[in-house]
Amino acid sequence: MTQEILDAVKEAKEQSKPRNFTESVDIIINVRDLDVKKPENRFSEEVVLPKGRGKQVKLGVIADGELIVQAKESGVALVINKADLEELGKDRKQAKKVANSVDFFIAQADMMPLVGRFLGPVLGPRNKMPKPVPASIKLAPLLARFENTIKVGIKQQPSIQVIIGTQDMSDEDLAENIETVLTVLDRQLDKGRNQIKSMFIKTTMGPVVRMI
């Protein structure tokens, strides 16, 4: 954990004006020397933040049978059954609304062909295709893991913007989450974090603070 990261985290929080809600904290990373037209240079990786996201994640479960019972009992934001899928396939506007309302989707594995058919056109471009799971899975541990998960990736532009926590988290916890995101670049980029052109941090409504 570098002092520069800690200093930038502290500055971003200090420059954020008081609000009547808890702001998220995002980092923006711009990458140099990366041709995103080449498929091998694009990636998406699920990352579990060691100190958590600091705010609730909205999860959607696409399932039938026992799994849908578990989903309803767990109180997830959205539960979709087979009939719902077919209806969404007929209503693109509503399908987009559903796609935008949830952070992550989980789907019963044997329903993935239907998901691809009816929701694929709206979930794919948003990088929200569901994580397939067996019908026999215990859902609670998986949901708990997703509470701390973000997606880090590069698709159409050589840049990344992700949430790394909330302003009420400690500077050290936010810095540790940032370090975890940077390890993704170490794995995915030829020169790792040395390929970062610039990096910024900001709260939801606050000014942008340069880190690198």
Side-chain angles (χ1 to χ4, degrees):
M1 188 187 305
T2 66
Q3 191 60 44
E4 288 84 1
I5 288 178
L6 272 171
D7 289 344
V9 168
K10 185 176 181 179
E11 184 179 348
K13 289 169 68 177
E14 287 177 346
Q15 289 194 20
S16 178
K17 296 178 181 178
R19 310 281 176 185
N20 59 0
F21 68 98
T22 301
E23 294 182 69
S24 297
V25 180
D26 287 10
I27 57 169
I28 303 105
I29 303 171
N30 298 309
V31 179
R32 61 162 59 94
D33 303 327
L34 190 71
D35 184 358
V36 292
K37 292 180 181 178
K38 295 181 177 179
E40 63 268 25
N41 289 334
R42 300 193 293 266
F43 64 88
S44 179
E45 189 173 322
E46 288 181 0
V47 179
V48 178
L49 297 175
K51 299 302 181 181
R53 290 170 54 118
K55 66 187 301 183
Q56 190 173 10
V57 177
K58 291 182 179 179
L59 297 169
V61 176
I62 303 169
D64 262 329
E66 172 59 26
L67 202 56
I68 209 165
V69 173
Q70 288 188 56
K72 288 178 178 178
E73 289 176 348
S74 70
V76 298
L78 182 68
V79 179
I80 297 173
N81 60 27
K82 185 178 178 181
D84 296 332
L85 267 182
E86 293 173 349
E87 287 302 312
L88 289 170
K90 300 172 188 175
D91 189 342
R92 179 62 67 89
K93 187 176 180 180
Q94 183 61 24
K96 287 180 179 179
K97 194 174 179 180
V98 165
N100 292 333
S101 71
V102 173
D103 296 306
F104 293 102
F105 285 91
I106 298 167
Q108 194 168 306
D110 58 7
M111 291 179 67
M112 283 300 290
L114 290 177
V115 174
R117 178 180 170 188
F118 295 122
L119 281 182
V122 294
L123 295 183
R126 289 165 174 78
N127 198 25
K128 289 187 178 181
M129 285 299 288
K131 181 180 183 67
V133 297
S136 58
I137 196 172
K138 293 295 182 187
L139 205 53
L142 183 62
L143 294 177
R145 181 177 182 274
F146 269 106
E147 286 292 332
N148 298 324
T149 298
I150 61 171
K151 282 188 178 180
V152 178
I154 286 178
K155 197 171 184 181
Q156 295 178 323
Q157 301 293 331
S159 62
I160 297 165
Q161 179 167 352
V162 291
I163 181 175
I164 50 90
T166 53
Q167 66 182 148
D168 57 353
M169 293 170 62
S170 73
D171 297 349
E172 290 76 16
D173 285 354
L174 290 169
E176 187 172 339
N177 282 349
I178 292 170
E179 183 62 33
T180 300
V181 172
L182 294 180
T183 62
V184 176
L185 302 188
D186 290 335
R187 287 193 295 272
Q188 296 284 356
L189 301 177
D190 290 340
K191 297 176 183 176
R193 68 185 72 189
N194 292 326
Q195 218 164 314
I196 294 175
K197 180 181 179 181
S198 58
M199 184 163 79
F200 305 88
I201 183 169
K202 70 182 295 295
T203 59
T204 306
M205 307 285 286
V208 173
V209 174
R210 187 165 187 141
M211 305 176 79
I212 297 175

